[in-house]
Amino acid sequence: MHENVNVVGVGGSSRPGSTAEQALRVVLDAAQRRGASVQLISGPALAMPLYDPRHGAITPQARRLLSAIAGADGLVLASPAYHGGISGLVKNALDHVEELREDTRPYFSERAVGCVAVAHGWQGAVATLAALRDVTHALRGWPTPLGAAINTSTARFSPAGACTDPHVQGQLEEIAAQVVEFATTRALATSRPESVR
């Protein structure tokens, strides 16, 4: 029996139903099947003014994003590759996480973070995956051992949402398993009475 944990997925593009968003949904669906509560923040919900540390999170979208991340036990980030790196939309959302610097768990502290990158070709997908993992480290999160670099020239998503490449589908489900397992273990460890630790 799993401790109920909350997994938040952040990413995609300004186009609702983008390939990055579809991949993110696969991970979140798999996390939900493992007993996690899930929340998706994607597409228009990520459309925010450029982050300015002098003014903080001033839009409802930014406040919703920060509230979701602050309450998350685990995270999943997904970005399309834009010129070999994280898209501006996703990077700007991650820049807003600076507002959590004074939180009880600053930034992504104490959370497993699954990373997914999508590109039409391997070079962009792999470079973007590495960038997502670097940002996760910078925000004090723990990237899951497995991340997914998805080459859309060989892997697509069906209208039902599953990946047409069973290997990629398996990778996305494994990322969900790792995020949920880490979050559950962490939740159980921190909820035990001191005498049993």
Side-chain angles (χ1 to χ4, degrees), residues 93-122:
L94 296 175
D95 287 345
H96 276 78
V97 177
E98 176 61 24
E99 292 302 302
L100 296 178
R101 64 188 170 275
E102 303 294 334
D103 199 62
T104 309
R105 295 180 300 161
Y107 306 112
F108 291 169
S109 293
E110 303 174 14
R111 298 168 185 94
V113 182
C115 298
V116 179
V118 175
H120 191 76
W122 288 114

PDB file of all heavy atoms in Angstrom, residues 93-122:
ATOM      1  N   ALA A  93       9.086  29.247 -16.796  1.00  0.00           N
ATOM      2  CA  ALA A  93       8.335  28.667 -15.670  1.00  0.00           C
ATOM      3  C   ALA A  93       9.296  28.217 -14.575  1.00  0.00           C
ATOM      4  O   ALA A  93       9.071  28.463 -13.384  1.00  0.00           O
ATOM      5  CB  ALA A  93       7.480  27.501 -16.153  1.00  0.00           C
ATOM      6  N   LEU A  94      10.380  27.567 -14.966  1.00  0.00           N
ATOM      7  CA  LEU A  94      11.366  27.103 -13.987  1.00  0.00           C
ATOM      8  C   LEU A  94      12.081  28.276 -13.317  1.00  0.00           C
ATOM      9  O   LEU A  94      12.424  28.197 -12.134  1.00  0.00           O
ATOM     10  CB  LEU A  94      12.367  26.156 -14.652  1.00  0.00           C
ATOM     11  CG  LEU A  94      11.760  24.852 -15.192  1.00  0.00           C
ATOM     12  CD1 LEU A  94      12.801  24.041 -15.934  1.00  0.00           C
ATOM     13  CD2 LEU A  94      11.133  24.038 -14.075  1.00  0.00           C
ATOM     14  N   ASP A  95      12.270  29.369 -14.043  1.00  0.00           N
ATOM     15  CA  ASP A  95      12.875  30.554 -13.432  1.00  0.00           C
ATOM     16  C   ASP A  95      11.982  31.111 -12.320  1.00  0.00           C
ATOM     17  O   ASP A  95      12.486  31.623 -11.306  1.00  0.00           O
ATOM     18  CB  ASP A  95      13.122  31.641 -14.483  1.00  0.00           C
ATOM     19  CG  ASP A  95      14.286  31.311 -15.412  1.00  0.00           C
ATOM     20  OD1 ASP A  95      15.078  30.403 -15.078  1.00  0.00           O
ATOM     21  OD2 ASP A  95      14.383  31.957 -16.472  1.00  0.00           O
ATOM     22  N   HIS A  96      10.671  30.998 -12.466  1.00  0.00           N
ATOM     23  CA  HIS A  96       9.749  31.480 -11.431  1.00  0.00           C
ATOM     24  C   HIS A  96       9.919  30.711 -10.108  1.00  0.00           C
ATOM     25  O   HIS A  96       9.543  31.212  -9.048  1.00  0.00           O
ATOM     26  CB  HIS A  96       8.297  31.369 -11.913  1.00  0.00           C
ATOM     27  CG  HIS A  96       7.865  32.527 -12.750  1.00  0.00           C
ATOM     28  ND1 HIS A  96       8.221  32.666 -14.070  1.00  0.00           N
ATOM     29  CD2 HIS A  96       7.099  33.612 -12.449  1.00  0.00           C
ATOM     30  CE1 HIS A  96       7.693  33.780 -14.551  1.00  0.00           C
ATOM     31  NE2 HIS A  96       7.014  34.375 -13.583  1.00  0.00           N
ATOM     32  N   VAL A  97      10.500  29.520 -10.171  1.00  0.00           N
ATOM     33  CA  VAL A  97      10.694  28.722  -8.956  1.00  0.00           C
ATOM     34  C   VAL A  97      11.649  29.415  -7.980  1.00  0.00           C
ATOM     35  O   VAL A  97      11.689  29.091  -6.800  1.00  0.00           O
ATOM     36  CB  VAL A  97      11.159  27.284  -9.322  1.00  0.00           C
ATOM     37  CG1 VAL A  97      11.444  26.444  -8.090  1.00  0.00           C
ATOM     38  CG2 VAL A  97      10.092  26.599 -10.179  1.00  0.00           C
ATOM     39  N   GLU A  98      12.367  30.419  -8.444  1.00  0.00           N
ATOM     40  CA  GLU A  98      13.205  31.224  -7.544  1.00  0.00           C
ATOM     41  C   GLU A  98      12.373  31.789  -6.394  1.00  0.00           C
ATOM     42  O   GLU A  98      12.881  31.987  -5.289  1.00  0.00           O
ATOM     43  CB  GLU A  98      13.874  32.365  -8.335  1.00  0.00           C
ATOM     44  CG  GLU A  98      14.694  33.317  -7.497  1.00  0.00           C
ATOM     45  CD  GLU A  98      15.861  32.647  -6.769  1.00  0.00           C
ATOM     46  OE1 GLU A  98      16.335  31.592  -7.223  1.00  0.00           O
ATOM     47  OE2 GLU A  98      16.301  33.189  -5.728  1.00  0.00           O
ATOM     48  N   GLU A  99      11.096  31.996  -6.624  1.00  0.00           N
ATOM     49  CA  GLU A  99      10.215  32.537  -5.577  1.00  0.00           C
ATOM     50  C   GLU A  99      10.030  31.560  -4.414  1.00  0.00           C
ATOM     51  O   GLU A  99       9.518  31.944  -3.363  1.00  0.00           O
ATOM     52  CB  GLU A  99       8.861  32.922  -6.172  1.00  0.00           C
ATOM     53  CG  GLU A  99       8.921  34.105  -7.116  1.00  0.00           C
ATOM     54  CD  GLU A  99       9.485  35.357  -6.453  1.00  0.00           C
ATOM     55  OE1 GLU A  99       8.907  35.795  -5.442  1.00  0.00           O
ATOM     56  OE2 GLU A  99      10.501  35.882  -6.943  1.00  0.00           O
ATOM     57  N   LEU A 100      10.431  30.309  -4.592  1.00  0.00           N
ATOM     58  CA  LEU A 100      10.333  29.323  -3.504  1.00  0.00           C
ATOM     59  C   LEU A 100      11.619  29.225  -2.692  1.00  0.00           C
ATOM     60  O   LEU A 100      11.786  28.299  -1.900  1.00  0.00           O
ATOM     61  CB  LEU A 100       9.963  27.951  -4.071  1.00  0.00           C
ATOM     62  CG  LEU A 100       8.587  27.842  -4.737  1.00  0.00           C
ATOM     63  CD1 LEU A 100       8.374  26.442  -5.299  1.00  0.00           C
ATOM     64  CD2 LEU A 100       7.481  28.213  -3.760  1.00  0.00           C
ATOM     65  N   ARG A 101      12.517  30.179  -2.847  1.00  0.00           N
ATOM     66  CA  ARG A 101      13.812  30.104  -2.162  1.00  0.00           C
ATOM     67  C   ARG A 101      13.678  30.114  -0.643  1.00  0.00           C
ATOM     68  O   ARG A 101      14.501  29.555   0.061  1.00  0.00           O
ATOM     69  CB  ARG A 101      14.728  31.240  -2.624  1.00  0.00           C
ATOM     70  CG  ARG A 101      14.237  32.630  -2.287  1.00  0.00           C
ATOM     71  CD  ARG A 101      15.078  33.731  -2.932  1.00  0.00           C
ATOM     72  NE  ARG A 101      14.455  35.031  -2.779  1.00  0.00           N
ATOM     73  CZ  ARG A 101      13.532  35.527  -3.597  1.00  0.00           C
ATOM     74  NH1 ARG A 101      13.140  34.836  -4.651  1.00  0.00           N
ATOM     75  NH2 ARG A 101      13.006  36.724  -3.383  1.00  0.00           N
ATOM     76  N   GLU A 102      12.626  30.752  -0.100  1.00  0.00           N
ATOM     77  CA  GLU A 102      12.438  30.827   1.346  1.00  0.00           C
ATOM     78  C   GLU A 102      11.420  29.802   1.844  1.00  0.00           C
ATOM     79  O   GLU A 102      11.052  29.828   3.014  1.00  0.00           O
ATOM     80  CB  GLU A 102      11.970  32.236   1.748  1.00  0.00           C
ATOM     81  CG  GLU A 102      12.900  33.358   1.316  1.00  0.00           C
ATOM     82  CD  GLU A 102      14.249  33.316   2.016  1.00  0.00           C
ATOM     83  OE1 GLU A 102      14.326  32.772   3.138  1.00  0.00           O
ATOM     84  OE2 GLU A 102      15.229  33.805   1.434  1.00  0.00           O
ATOM     85  N   ASP A 103      10.970  28.917   0.954  1.00  0.00           N
ATOM     86  CA  ASP A 103       9.959  27.929   1.330  1.00  0.00           C
ATOM     87  C   ASP A 103      10.536  26.930   2.333  1.00  0.00           C
ATOM     88  O   ASP A 103      11.757  26.807   2.468  1.00  0.00           O
ATOM     89  CB  ASP A 103       9.482  27.188   0.070  1.00  0.00           C
ATOM     90  CG  ASP A 103       8.150  26.506   0.267  1.00  0.00           C
ATOM     91  OD1 ASP A 103       7.166  27.214   0.523  1.00  0.00           O
ATOM     92  OD2 ASP A 103       8.104  25.260   0.179  1.00  0.00           O
ATOM     93  N   THR A 104       9.657  26.213   3.037  1.00  0.00           N
ATOM     94  CA  THR A 104      10.102  25.176   3.974  1.00  0.00           C
ATOM     95  C   THR A 104      11.011  24.175   3.274  1.00  0.00           C
ATOM     96  O   THR A 104      12.009  23.735   3.833  1.00  0.00           O
ATOM     97  CB  THR A 104       8.884  24.421   4.546  1.00  0.00           C
ATOM     98  OG1 THR A 104       7.958  25.393   5.027  1.00  0.00           O
ATOM     99  CG2 THR A 104       9.291  23.492   5.663  1.00  0.00           C
ATOM    100  N   ARG A 105      10.625  23.799   2.054  1.00  0.00           N
ATOM    101  CA  ARG A 105      11.470  22.966   1.198  1.00  0.00           C
ATOM    102  C   ARG A 105      11.840  23.836  -0.009  1.00  0.00           C
ATOM    103  O   ARG A 105      11.110  23.862  -0.993  1.00  0.00           O
ATOM    104  CB  ARG A 105      10.715  21.713   0.748  1.00  0.00           C
ATOM    105  CG  ARG A 105      10.360  20.776   1.881  1.00  0.00           C
ATOM    106  CD  ARG A 105       9.618  19.549   1.379  1.00  0.00           C
ATOM    107  NE  ARG A 105       8.378  19.919   0.716  1.00  0.00           N
ATOM    108  CZ  ARG A 105       7.718  19.117  -0.114  1.00  0.00           C
ATOM    109  NH1 ARG A 105       8.167  17.919  -0.385  1.00  0.00           N
ATOM    110  NH2 ARG A 105       6.593  19.514  -0.668  1.00  0.00           N
ATOM    111  N   PRO A 106      12.931  24.569   0.055  1.00  0.00           N
ATOM    112  CA  PRO A 106      13.250  25.518  -1.019  1.00  0.00           C
ATOM    113  C   PRO A 106      13.356  24.852  -2.391  1.00  0.00           C
ATOM    114  O   PRO A 106      13.828  23.723  -2.511  1.00  0.00           O
ATOM    115  CB  PRO A 106      14.609  26.094  -0.603  1.00  0.00           C
ATOM    116  CG  PRO A 106      14.739  25.792   0.846  1.00  0.00           C
ATOM    117  CD  PRO A 106      13.950  24.546   1.097  1.00  0.00           C
ATOM    118  N   TYR A 107      12.904  25.570  -3.392  1.00  0.00           N
ATOM    119  CA  TYR A 107      13.016  25.130  -4.781  1.00  0.00           C
ATOM    120  C   TYR A 107      12.415  23.729  -4.952  1.00  0.00           C
ATOM    121  O   TYR A 107      11.242  23.529  -4.659  1.00  0.00           O
ATOM    122  CB  TYR A 107      14.471  25.181  -5.249  1.00  0.00           C
ATOM    123  CG  TYR A 107      15.138  26.517  -5.048  1.00  0.00           C
ATOM    124  CD1 TYR A 107      16.179  26.669  -4.124  1.00  0.00           C
ATOM    125  CD2 TYR A 107      14.747  27.642  -5.771  1.00  0.00           C
ATOM    126  CE1 TYR A 107      16.805  27.909  -3.947  1.00  0.00           C
ATOM    127  CE2 TYR A 107      15.366  28.876  -5.590  1.00  0.00           C
ATOM    128  CZ  TYR A 107      16.392  29.000  -4.681  1.00  0.00           C
ATOM    129  OH  TYR A 107      16.999  30.203  -4.501  1.00  0.00           O
ATOM    130  N   PHE A 108      13.224  22.758  -5.422  1.00  0.00           N
ATOM    131  CA  PHE A 108      12.755  21.375  -5.591  1.00  0.00           C
ATOM    132  C   PHE A 108      13.289  20.461  -4.480  1.00  0.00           C
ATOM    133  O   PHE A 108      13.287  19.238  -4.619  1.00  0.00           O
ATOM    134  CB  PHE A 108      13.239  20.797  -6.927  1.00  0.00           C
ATOM    135  CG  PHE A 108      12.621  21.387  -8.160  1.00  0.00           C
ATOM    136  CD1 PHE A 108      13.155  21.083  -9.412  1.00  0.00           C
ATOM    137  CD2 PHE A 108      11.515  22.229  -8.110  1.00  0.00           C
ATOM    138  CE1 PHE A 108      12.603  21.600 -10.572  1.00  0.00           C
ATOM    139  CE2 PHE A 108      10.955  22.759  -9.266  1.00  0.00           C
ATOM    140  CZ  PHE A 108      11.509  22.437 -10.507  1.00  0.00           C
ATOM    141  N   SER A 109      13.747  21.020  -3.389  1.00  0.00           N
ATOM    142  CA  SER A 109      14.355  20.223  -2.318  1.00  0.00           C
ATOM    143  C   SER A 109      13.471  19.053  -1.911  1.00  0.00           C
ATOM    144  O   SER A 109      12.250  19.180  -1.840  1.00  0.00           O
ATOM    145  CB  SER A 109      14.608  21.086  -1.080  1.00  0.00           C
ATOM    146  OG  SER A 109      15.588  22.049  -1.342  1.00  0.00           O
ATOM    147  N   GLU A 110      14.120  17.914  -1.642  1.00  0.00           N
ATOM    148  CA  GLU A 110      13.481  16.700  -1.127  1.00  0.00           C
ATOM    149  C   GLU A 110      12.500  16.061  -2.108  1.00  0.00           C
ATOM    150  O   GLU A 110      11.643  15.281  -1.719  1.00  0.00           O
ATOM    151  CB  GLU A 110      12.771  16.988   0.205  1.00  0.00           C
ATOM    152  CG  GLU A 110      13.693  17.552   1.263  1.00  0.00           C
ATOM    153  CD  GLU A 110      12.961  17.970   2.515  1.00  0.00           C
ATOM    154  OE1 GLU A 110      11.793  17.592   2.697  1.00  0.00           O
ATOM    155  OE2 GLU A 110      13.577  18.678   3.328  1.00  0.00           O
ATOM    156  N   ARG A 111      12.640  16.365  -3.387  1.00  0.00           N
ATOM    157  CA  ARG A 111      11.725  15.814  -4.381  1.00  0.00           C
ATOM    158  C   ARG A 111      12.489  15.126  -5.502  1.00  0.00           C
ATOM    159  O   ARG A 111      13.485  15.640  -5.995  1.00  0.00           O
ATOM    160  CB  ARG A 111      10.869  16.917  -4.984  1.00  0.00           C
ATOM    161  CG  ARG A 111       9.975  17.642  -3.990  1.00  0.00           C
ATOM    162  CD  ARG A 111       9.409  18.886  -4.654  1.00  0.00           C
ATOM    163  NE  ARG A 111       8.627  19.707  -3.758  1.00  0.00           N
ATOM    164  CZ  ARG A 111       9.118  20.731  -3.070  1.00  0.00           C
ATOM    165  NH1 ARG A 111      10.403  21.027  -3.132  1.00  0.00           N
ATOM    166  NH2 ARG A 111       8.334  21.439  -2.295  1.00  0.00           N
ATOM    167  N   ALA A 112      11.960  13.979  -5.909  1.00  0.00           N
ATOM    168  CA  ALA A 112      12.456  13.333  -7.128  1.00  0.00           C
ATOM    169  C   ALA A 112      11.843  14.067  -8.314  1.00  0.00           C
ATOM    170  O   ALA A 112      10.683  14.491  -8.265  1.00  0.00           O
ATOM    171  CB  ALA A 112      12.054  11.872  -7.159  1.00  0.00           C
ATOM    172  N   VAL A 113      12.621  14.206  -9.373  1.00  0.00           N
ATOM    173  CA  VAL A 113      12.161  14.927 -10.560  1.00  0.00           C
ATOM    174  C   VAL A 113      12.450  14.074 -11.795  1.00  0.00           C
ATOM    175  O   VAL A 113      13.605  13.793 -12.118  1.00  0.00           O
ATOM    176  CB  VAL A 113      12.869  16.302 -10.694  1.00  0.00           C
ATOM    177  CG1 VAL A 113      12.334  17.054 -11.908  1.00  0.00           C
ATOM    178  CG2 VAL A 113      12.701  17.125  -9.427  1.00  0.00           C
ATOM    179  N   GLY A 114      11.394  13.654 -12.461  1.00  0.00           N
ATOM    180  CA  GLY A 114      11.540  12.940 -13.729  1.00  0.00           C
ATOM    181  C   GLY A 114      11.671  13.955 -14.850  1.00  0.00           C
ATOM    182  O   GLY A 114      10.976  14.975 -14.851  1.00  0.00           O
ATOM    183  N   CYS A 115      12.561  13.702 -15.801  1.00  0.00           N
ATOM    184  CA  CYS A 115      12.807  14.653 -16.899  1.00  0.00           C
ATOM    185  C   CYS A 115      12.549  13.985 -18.244  1.00  0.00           C
ATOM    186  O   CYS A 115      13.020  12.869 -18.501  1.00  0.00           O
ATOM    187  CB  CYS A 115      14.243  15.165 -16.850  1.00  0.00           C
ATOM    188  SG  CYS A 115      14.634  16.084 -15.346  1.00  0.00           S
ATOM    189  N   VAL A 116      11.821  14.698 -19.108  1.00  0.00           N
ATOM    190  CA  VAL A 116      11.466  14.194 -20.436  1.00  0.00           C
ATOM    191  C   VAL A 116      11.731  15.290 -21.458  1.00  0.00           C
ATOM    192  O   VAL A 116      11.286  16.429 -21.278  1.00  0.00           O
ATOM    193  CB  VAL A 116       9.977  13.786 -20.495  1.00  0.00           C
ATOM    194  CG1 VAL A 116       9.605  13.287 -21.886  1.00  0.00           C
ATOM    195  CG2 VAL A 116       9.647  12.743 -19.437  1.00  0.00           C
ATOM    196  N   ALA A 117      12.455  14.949 -22.513  1.00  0.00           N
ATOM    197  CA  ALA A 117      12.731  15.905 -23.591  1.00  0.00           C
ATOM    198  C   ALA A 117      12.275  15.320 -24.914  1.00  0.00           C
ATOM    199  O   ALA A 117      12.429  14.117 -25.165  1.00  0.00           O
ATOM    200  CB  ALA A 117      14.225  16.216 -23.642  1.00  0.00           C
ATOM    201  N   VAL A 118      11.727  16.169 -25.764  1.00  0.00           N
ATOM    202  CA  VAL A 118      11.153  15.734 -27.030  1.00  0.00           C
ATOM    203  C   VAL A 118      11.739  16.571 -28.158  1.00  0.00           C
ATOM    204  O   VAL A 118      11.791  17.800 -28.053  1.00  0.00           O
ATOM    205  CB  VAL A 118       9.612  15.908 -26.999  1.00  0.00           C
ATOM    206  CG1 VAL A 118       8.999  15.576 -28.341  1.00  0.00           C
ATOM    207  CG2 VAL A 118       8.993  15.065 -25.901  1.00  0.00           C
ATOM    208  N   ALA A 119      12.172  15.902 -29.229  1.00  0.00           N
ATOM    209  CA  ALA A 119      12.705  16.622 -30.390  1.00  0.00           C
ATOM    210  C   ALA A 119      12.562  15.765 -31.641  1.00  0.00           C
ATOM    211  O   ALA A 119      12.397  14.548 -31.552  1.00  0.00           O
ATOM    212  CB  ALA A 119      14.179  16.971 -30.182  1.00  0.00           C
ATOM    213  N   HIS A 120      12.640  16.400 -32.798  1.00  0.00           N
ATOM    214  CA  HIS A 120      12.635  15.670 -34.064  1.00  0.00           C
ATOM    215  C   HIS A 120      14.094  15.344 -34.414  1.00  0.00           C
ATOM    216  O   HIS A 120      14.709  15.987 -35.250  1.00  0.00           O
ATOM    217  CB  HIS A 120      11.981  16.494 -35.167  1.00  0.00           C
ATOM    218  CG  HIS A 120      11.718  15.701 -36.397  1.00  0.00           C
ATOM    219  ND1 HIS A 120      10.686  14.798 -36.508  1.00  0.00           N
ATOM    220  CD2 HIS A 120      12.376  15.655 -37.567  1.00  0.00           C
ATOM    221  CE1 HIS A 120      10.715  14.234 -37.699  1.00  0.00           C
ATOM    222  NE2 HIS A 120      11.738  14.738 -38.365  1.00  0.00           N
ATOM    223  N   GLY A 121      14.646  14.375 -33.700  1.00  0.00           N
ATOM    224  CA  GLY A 121      16.048  14.004 -33.855  1.00  0.00           C
ATOM    225  C   GLY A 121      16.668  13.776 -32.492  1.00  0.00           C
ATOM    226  O   GLY A 121      16.200  14.314 -31.487  1.00  0.00           O
ATOM    227  N   TRP A 122      17.738  12.977 -32.478  1.00  0.00           N
ATOM    228  CA  TRP A 122      18.346  12.609 -31.193  1.00  0.00           C
ATOM    229  C   TRP A 122      19.151  13.723 -30.553  1.00  0.00           C
ATOM    230  O   TRP A 122      19.166  13.889 -29.342  1.00  0.00           O
ATOM    231  CB  TRP A 122      19.235  11.374 -31.373  1.00  0.00           C
ATOM    232  CG  TRP A 122      18.433  10.134 -31.600  1.00  0.00           C
ATOM    233  CD1 TRP A 122      18.384   9.372 -32.732  1.00  0.00           C
ATOM    234  CD2 TRP A 122      17.530   9.523 -30.663  1.00  0.00           C
ATOM    235  NE1 TRP A 122      17.497   8.326 -32.558  1.00  0.00           N
ATOM    236  CE2 TRP A 122      16.970   8.389 -31.306  1.00  0.00           C
ATOM    237  CE3 TRP A 122      17.144   9.826 -29.369  1.00  0.00           C
ATOM    238  CZ2 TRP A 122      16.052   7.564 -30.679  1.00  0.00           C
ATOM    239  CZ3 TRP A 122      16.229   9.004 -28.743  1.00  0.00           C
ATOM    240  CH2 TRP A 122      15.695   7.887 -29.399  1.00  0.00           C
TER     241      TRP A 122
END
